[in-house]
Amino acid sequence: MNFASVTERLQAATLFLLALALFLVPAALAAALVLLWLGFLLLLPTSRSWTWWRDPAAQLVLALALYCPARMLLGQWLDDATAQTDWEAVGDWMQLAVVLPFALALGADERRLRWLLGLALLGLLIGMPLRLNWPLLLENPGAWLAWREGFGFTAIAFGLYSAAALLGVLLLRWPAGRFWSVARGLAALLLAQGLLLTQSRSAWLAFLIALGVGGWLRRQALYAYWCKWSARRFTRQAAVAGLLLLVFVGLNGALVVNRLAMEADSAAALLQQQAAPTDVSSIGLRWRVGQLGLDLWLQRPWFGWGTGAAEPLIAAHAQDYDLIDQGQVLVHLHNTYLELLVQLGVVGLGLFLALVAVLLHGVRAAWRQHLLRDDLAVLLICLFLLTLVWSLFSFRLLHQDWRGFWTLLAGAALSFTLGAHQRLGPVAGAKHVGSADSAGHAHAGDAGNAG
């Protein structure tokens, strides 16, 4: 066994570490991200490792990563007195390129990806009771509900992660058998409850949109599954499911209604008057910080203000735009696309959206070439849609937990994009990327029931 083979096996093991630690052990997640880069650099001198660089998706990953320091150096070279010099933020942006070593290590192996998704789900479910704010819940349940549970994350961040996990539970095939049916139902209930407890309306909206698209894309499979049910089985299972649904709605109905009704006056006033709300509601704050973001972007539309520029700029204009919430100044623009425009300009946003578009096209190509089964392809598409809608209301790209989530999602899409492009011809040489150059073909047909 040669050095390259050993390194590839270690890279594969790192994938499993990353998936299990993603929502459970931050230190292990950080170590896994570092190990992915280390393995990538060790394999870089081998001939197979150079086949990926000709692919447009990989080139966009590198272009976005290299644009960040180039933008910073350009501002300093032009001697811009207002240019931001936050090199730590440059490093945070560049770390998003970890999707490349992840994709190469995954090697378009569908069965391995299903295992990774299962481990990520397991870590999230284990972390929920471990990170629950038990003291507040036991002391004052009413205050706990009003506090908005985030299970160790911010509420809106856990809203994204729980919604993504719930999509996986609902859209992916599970092994047959009563045990797996019960496990799937319990996981769905726990994740749905966690999603509701975040009281994150943006996550709720993004989840419903993604689930609707997923149901439409898998409509034929859902219809076939419905037709297989016998009348007796349907009656028995429908009765149990209906009872659980009634209990679930009864327990959470008031929570959902109250959350949706909250700040309704501010939203109505905004729609009717088309003016910035003057209250301190989240809608008013987001409106005003959005106005600031647009004003800042219009001052530097093409290249932005530089990485890390948004937070100090918000602080500098906090009084003028009334961006103080409970004594604290907002730290971001609550919109990922606006953050990209302010920090990196139209060029940065264009690179990011182009990368997402190429990855989605690659997933579709892998689906059509049977590198991906329909359930997994639909899930990846819906997870991108979920993230894109959620990103309209928040910004978390530079946090480690989001970086891990993005690595799993975009890295998986990139891996199968590379595999699909290689099948089409001269994009990337003769051998498949990573250590599993033919695993995608070998496992595409037998991974439908992997956890």
Side-chain angles (χ1 to χ4, degrees), residues 121 124-125 128-129 144 151 158 162-163 165-170 174 180-198 204 207 237 239-252 255:
L121 171 63
L124 184 65
L125 291 174
M128 288 177 66
W144 175 73
F151 301 95
F158 187 80
S162 58
L166 185 55
L167 283 175
V169 169
L170 297 177
W174 282 56
W180 290 108
S181 296
V182 173
R184 185 180 195 177
L186 290 176
L189 286 175
L190 287 173
L191 291 169
Q193 186 64 62
L195 175 59
L196 291 178
L197 287 175
T198 64
W204 296 352
F207 170 75
Q237 293 193 0
V240 175
L243 179 60
L244 291 175
L245 181 61
L246 286 175
V247 173
F248 185 79
V249 172
L251 292 174
N252 295 283
L255 172 68

Side-chain angles (χ1 to χ4, degrees), residues 22-24 26 124 131 147-159 161 396 401-402:
L22 178 55
F23 303 116
L24 190 60
L124 184 65
R131 292 178 172 146
W147 175 69
R148 300 177 61 188
E149 181 63 71
F151 301 95
F153 303 95
T154 64
I156 193 171
F158 187 80
Y161 305 146
R396 202 169 175 81
D401 56 278
W402 199 94

Side-chain angles (χ1 to χ4, degrees), residues 128-138 144 147 149 151-152:
M128 288 177 66
L130 292 179
R131 292 178 172 146
L132 184 70
N133 191 346
W134 290 104
L136 183 59
L137 172 62
L138 297 176
W144 175 73
W147 175 69
E149 181 63 71
F151 301 95

Side-chain angles (χ1 to χ4, degrees), residues 61-185:
V61 171
L62 295 177
L64 182 59
L66 296 176
Y67 170 69
C68 297
R71 165 63 185 84
M72 184 74 72
L73 292 172
L74 178 63
Q76 293 184 348
W77 180 66
L78 294 176
D79 196 23
D80 185 356
T82 61
Q84 298 296 320
T85 56
D86 189 351
W87 284 101
E88 182 178 353
V90 171
D92 291 337
W93 279 99
M94 294 183 69
Q95 287 181 62
L96 295 177
V98 71
V99 297
L100 181 57
F102 180 95
L104 298 176
L106 180 59
D109 187 334
E110 184 189 274
R111 185 168 63 179
R112 181 180 294 173
L113 177 58
R114 291 180 185 272
W115 275 102
L116 296 181
L117 294 174
L119 287 174
L121 171 63
L122 180 62
L124 184 65
L125 291 174
I126 293 175
M128 288 177 66
L130 292 179
R131 292 178 172 146
L132 184 70
N133 191 346
W134 290 104
L136 183 59
L137 172 62
L138 297 176
E139 180 180 349
N140 192 337
W144 175 73
L145 283 175
W147 175 69
R148 300 177 61 188
E149 181 63 71
F151 301 95
F153 303 95
T154 64
I156 193 171
F158 187 80
L160 172 65
Y161 305 146
S162 58
L166 185 55
L167 283 175
V169 169
L170 297 177
L171 294 178
L172 283 181
R173 295 186 181 93
W174 282 56
R178 179 171 298 179
F179 170 80
W180 290 108
S181 296
V182 173
R184 185 180 195 177

